[in-house]
Amino acid sequence: MLDIAVILAAAIGVAQLSGSEKWTPPFSPDSEFYFTLGVFGDDVTDRAPNPSYFWTKLGVIAPMRVLFDLFGVGPGWTLYRLLLILLIVGAVYYFAKWAGARRLVSLICSLVVGLNSAVLFSVGNTYFPGTAMAAMFVCLALAARFWLTPTATPWPIGIGIGLSAAWLLMTNPYSFGLAIATSGIIVLAGTRRRDGWLRAGVVLGTGVLGLLAGLSLFLIAAQVLFPKLNWVDTVLKTSVGIDYSIFTSADPFTWIPTATSLLVPAAAILLSVVGVLKQRGAALARLSLVMTATSFVVAVVWALWQGGATMEAQYYNALLWPAALMGLVAFVVQLFAAPVVSTRIGAVAVAAGAFLVLVPVAHLDVELRVRVIVLVFVAVLALVVLAVFRLPVGSGRSRWTRSVAPLAITGLLFVAFQTAQNSQPQSNGISWRIDYATAFEDSVDDVTLERSIEIEAWLISETTPDDKVFVWVDPDVGFISAAALQLFGPNTLTTSFELAPVHLVGLDQSRPDVLATYTFNPDAEQKIADELTSEGYPTTVFACETFEEYSQDRAEVKVCLSRIEYPAQAGE
């Protein structure tokens, strides 16, 4: 029970007391698609001529939908974010404990991982990385349990890995592949006893059962949440012919030279090598090397196979962090071979002090040139490696080598990781690079989010589930969040006042009943209605509403709904 209390306290501290943001940017179309399905569910997909594949990501949408229904959007998201942090912190805590760490060291490791800006950025966004990260940490921790504890009962490990895998598959296929490949290699490589292969077989077999059970639960949820849609049919139709290379730069060297955040997974592999060289034969050191190296190799192979987006796009390369941070934890655990303090009061004091030191470092965000970031990072790693090999770190009689040196090294590594992540410059590549430091910046406009929810609720109230709604956004605007809540993108007529033949073809194919227009300009909705009418699609505006204080930049937004008739209907 004390372990559970410690994990809960760490999660609350990270979520509520670290100064991290509940919502993190960018609140982009993809994250808004998931968000609106969590808030409104099939009220959105019923009205979308092209619901696309977004609704199939039930690993993210289903838990949000349940929590939003029970507690409301704001409190529901706070609880979901806390749940994700709790799973991450808990997985790291038990991983450290299974690796032989004492409670205080396990807590420090949990804080180091929980306060990492890549983690907090991901769990603060309604897109998939936060959910995927939580499931990946659980999956990797359970696989590590099999490696580190040969006497552990194998079937609960397998069931846990299988359920985590189902959650990942229903969240994002890349995260599923990355976690399962890494966990599978760990299980197969961790067969050290005479009955090791039998135990590995039990893990893999029960893992399949857990996967099937988890998928069954999600498919039931799909029927409950989206009764008019077919999950299997949608996945089969939308997964064919996707060209992922359009999401990445043709020349990888347009973004690699400035991708300083990738120093983190690379450093995790280096630290694992150091651990193996320092403690030859140690199970934890070998596990760390297998985990970090496998994760990175699988990511590179997947990127080469799918065109590179998983390495270049920040949302995706953040999924390298679970294995990398687990590798860091393994290295830290090896440093603390002796108790840090001898009393419970001393442990509480050290834990509180660690939190107070780590939090401001987590906020670290300085503009540095790439060469400076690399030099600082390499210098810290060199200092750490030198200290590990030249000093009796974690052992010896002095308090310095038993306690102070391991704590100092842990802090230095945390500084290096945060610097590489938070100071990463913008990319010259095709993917917009996200600053992980925004995990601690109030950069999401809560008013815009609230107004967007109000607008979508109004649209739903003014239409019926039988109405199919297309979206049009004023060309002077280009995009607003409110339009994304009605699945802007696959359901967009155009963002121009002029209708090209391709737009009319799309109109005839999708045959929407209603056009929702979003504008900051007067009479824009009538202009597009007149344009449609002149093309032979009589269009009549039947409802308009102005929403004031839409955002910090715009005083108000006008949303109108127009009924569209088709040539055959008009002549009847």
Side-chain angles (χ1 to χ4, degrees):
M1 287 300 294
L2 182 56
D3 287 330
I4 300 298
V6 170
I7 292 169
L8 186 59
I12 293 174
V14 168
Q16 302 297 118
L17 303 178
S18 65
S20 58
E21 290 297 313
K22 182 172 72 173
W23 305 100
T24 56
F27 216 64
S28 62
D30 292 74
S31 58
E32 287 168 325
F33 296 157
Y34 289 24
F35 175 71
T36 191
L37 294 172
V39 177
F40 298 106
D42 61 347
D43 283 335
V44 173
T45 54
D46 284 351
R47 289 165 173 79
N50 304 306
S52 192
Y53 65 89
F54 309 119
W55 72 274
T56 63
K57 307 304 181 182
L58 294 164
V60 183
I61 294 166
M64 284 199 297
R65 184 79 176 123
V66 171
L67 292 172
F68 291 172
D69 274 354
L70 290 175
F71 303 103
V73 175
W77 177 250
T78 297
L79 287 173
Y80 187 54
R81 178 174 176 269
L82 178 61
L83 172 63
L84 297 179
I85 292 173
L86 185 64
L87 288 172
I88 292 170
V89 167
V92 171
Y93 181 91
Y94 276 108
F95 169 62
K97 189 174 181 180
W98 293 329
R102 293 166 176 81
R103 185 172 289 120
L104 175 59
V105 174
S106 297
L107 174 57
I108 291 173
C109 290
S110 298
L111 293 175
V112 165
V113 173
L115 290 170
N116 183 277
S117 56
V119 171
L120 287 173
F121 171 85
S122 298
V123 299
N125 194 280
T126 55
Y127 200 30
F128 74 87
T131 299
M133 265 196 181
M136 288 180 71
F137 271 106
V138 172
C139 196
L140 294 175
L142 289 170
R145 167 77 161 164
F146 176 81
W147 180 302
L148 295 169
T149 315
T151 58
T153 305
W155 68 264
I157 295 174
I159 292 293
I161 290 175
L163 291 174
S164 301
W167 194 12
L168 286 164
L169 188 57
M170 284 289 183
T171 298
N172 176 264
Y174 169 61
S175 65
F176 169 81
L178 189 59
I180 290 306
T182 305
S183 298
I185 293 296
I186 290 172
V187 169
L188 293 175
T191 54
R192 300 189 303 280
R193 299 193 339 168
R194 183 177 299 177
D195 62 346
W197 287 106
L198 176 62
R199 296 179 69 252
V202 172
V203 170
L204 296 177
T206 53
V208 172
L209 293 177
L211 173 64
L212 295 175
L215 290 178
S216 298
L217 290 174
F218 276 113
L219 290 175
I220 292 171
Q223 284 298 105
V224 173
L225 297 177
F226 302 97
K228 296 180 182 178
L229 299 173
N230 185 298
W231 190 91
V232 175
D233 184 59
T234 301
V235 170
L236 291 177
K237 285 181 178 178
T238 57
S239 61
V240 176
I242 298 178
D243 183 8
Y244 290 97
S245 65
I246 65 174
F247 302 111
T248 190
S249 304
D251 181 3
F253 290 98
T254 60
W255 62 271
I256 287 177
T258 58
T260 59
S261 64
L262 289 179
L263 290 169
V264 171
I269 297 174
L270 174 62
L271 293 174
S272 300
V273 172
V274 170
V276 170
L277 295 176
K278 178 69 174 178
Q279 298 184 352
R280 297 181 184 276
L284 179 58
R286 289 186 289 111
L287 165 64
S288 176
L289 181 57
V290 169
M291 184 185 297
T292 55
T294 300
S295 176
F296 196 82
V297 169
V298 170
V300 171
V301 170
W302 192 292
L304 294 173
W305 171 45
Q306 292 285 15
T310 50
M311 293 295 286
E312 180 179 356
Q314 204 89 351
Y315 278 126
Y316 284 92
N317 76 29
L319 299 183
L320 288 169
W321 264 246
L325 293 176
M326 288 290 222
L328 173 63
V329 168
F331 183 78
V332 170
V333 168
Q334 293 174 79
L335 295 178
F336 290 93
V340 179
V341 291
S342 56
T343 65
R344 182 166 294 181
I345 294 177
V348 171
V350 171
F355 183 79
L356 293 175
V357 170
L358 291 173
V359 166
V361 175
H363 286 249
L364 186 65
D365 181 15
V366 292
E367 292 187 10
L368 298 172
R369 292 184 177 182
V370 171
R371 65 180 64 183
V372 175
I373 297 172
V374 173
L375 284 173
V376 170
F377 197 88
V378 170
V380 169
L381 286 182
L383 182 61
V384 167
V385 172
L386 181 64
V388 167
F389 281 109
R390 299 295 296 175
L391 299 174
V393 176
S395 59
R397 295 183 179 181
S398 71
R399 182 177 297 275
W400 163 257
T401 55
R402 286 190 297 109
S403 304
V404 178
L407 288 171
I409 289 173
T410 303
L412 277 174
L413 289 172
F414 187 70
V415 170
F417 279 30
Q418 292 296 100
T419 300
Q421 295 170 194
N422 294 2
S423 301
Q424 180 172 244
Q426 189 53 257
S427 171
N428 294 321
I430 194 171
S431 290
W432 180 39
R433 184 168 286 162
I434 304 156
D435 187 354
Y436 285 138
T438 53
F440 300 98
E441 297 174 5
D442 184 13
S443 50
V444 172
D445 191 343
D446 293 336
V447 175
T448 300
L449 184 59
E450 292 172 8
R451 292 294 180 273
S452 297
I453 294 171
E454 290 177 18
I455 291 169
E456 182 62 22
W458 174 80
L459 182 152
I460 290 170
S461 69
E462 294 291 330
T463 55
T464 71
D466 294 327
D467 286 325
K468 299 302 179 184
V469 181
F470 247 25
V471 171
W472 177 86
V473 179
D474 193 316
D476 289 341
V477 179
F479 168 76
I480 64 172
S481 297
L485 297 197
Q486 190 47 50
L487 302 186
F488 171 95
N491 300 288
T492 300
L493 173 62
T494 177
T495 55
S496 170
F497 284 112
E498 298 179 1
L499 294 174
V502 66
H503 302 139
L504 301 180
V505 170
L507 197 66
D508 286 326
Q509 289 177 342
S510 300
R511 296 186 72 83
D513 306 290
V514 174
L515 180 67
T517 60
Y518 303 79
T519 179
F520 298 123
N521 298 315
D523 303 323
E525 74 285 347
Q526 192 60 54
K527 290 180 182 179
I528 192 64
D530 291 343
E531 180 71 13
L532 281 168
T533 301
S534 69
E535 293 288 346
Y537 300 85
T539 303
T540 306
V541 179
F542 69 88
C544 284
E545 188 73 25
T546 299
F547 296 85
E548 298 181 350
E549 299 180 2
Y550 177 72
S551 69
Q552 296 174 352
D553 301 324
R554 302 282 186 172
E556 60 184 30
V557 61
K558 185 180 182 182
V559 183
C560 292
L561 303 175
S562 303
R563 184 73 57 182
I564 305 172
E565 294 182 53
Y566 293 85
Q569 293 176 305
E572 292 175 354

